[in-house]
Amino acid sequence: MEIIISNSSGVPIYEQIKEQIKVKIISNELKTGELLPSIRTLAKDLRCSVITTKNAYEELVNEGYVETIPSKGFYVAKINLNVAREEQLNKIENLLDMAVNIAKTNNITKNTITEILNILYEEEK
């Protein structure tokens, strides 16, 4: 499982891991019932602490994206994709709302914001 960690992003590593796994689940790259790497294996692959991966998995369990089976591991839970998508859309809306407020405060036009959004959206990851 490919997860890219940025130490300079300001976002905690466990949060980066959690969000990337959620995206993989929502996009069906990780399928319902699929076994996830163990906490230790993922930590080793990402070169981070087992506590970090444990925290990411615990949050995924708490949010209903992952289920744990004692002595067997962590599995992708069956989720309602519409609810998960709505959650992601809500996050985007909140972030865009913040961006619009910053733009208005600084007299930045809607066209400029749209141009920035188009550039960012088309950038390769």
Side-chain angles (χ1 to χ4, degrees):
M1 175 170 47
E2 183 179 3
I3 294 177
I4 299 170
I5 301 298
S6 171
N7 291 320
S8 61
S9 77
V11 176
I13 293 173
Y14 79 92
E15 186 77 22
Q16 293 178 51
I17 295 166
K18 178 186 85 166
E19 289 302 319
Q20 289 181 54
I21 292 173
K22 280 171 64 171
V23 167
K24 289 177 186 306
I25 292 170
I26 292 168
S27 69
N28 211 27
E29 184 178 329
L30 291 172
K31 307 215 181 316
T32 300
E34 188 170 335
L35 177 64
L36 297 175
S38 71
I39 290 172
R40 287 183 185 180
T41 299
L42 186 59
K44 182 180 174 191
D45 290 348
L46 298 176
R47 296 184 182 137
C48 68
S49 161
V50 292
I51 303 257
T52 300
T53 55
K54 178 180 178 283
N55 289 341
Y57 276 8
E58 283 179 350
E59 287 207 7
L60 287 163
V61 169
N62 290 338
E63 293 178 18
Y65 287 89
V66 171
E67 57 190 6
T68 182
I69 299 175
S71 302
K72 292 195 176 188
F74 293 88
Y75 293 82
V76 175
K78 182 175 180 172
I79 62 165
N80 182 331
L81 291 177
N82 292 330
V83 171
R85 180 172 161 68
E86 190 64 34
E87 177 186 311
Q88 297 303 312
L89 287 172
N90 190 27
K91 283 183 186 178
I92 292 168
E93 185 177 326
N94 289 334
L95 291 169
L96 287 173
D97 187 47
M98 287 178 12
V100 167
N101 287 332
I102 292 168
K104 286 180 178 179
T105 302
N106 292 285
N107 294 319
I108 298 170
T109 68
K110 180 180 174 182
N111 287 341
T112 301
I113 295 300
T114 302
E115 185 178 335
I116 293 168
L117 181 61
N118 287 334
I119 291 168
L120 293 172
Y121 198 84
E122 297 304 320
E123 275 184 2
E124 288 192 37
K125 301 264 176 186

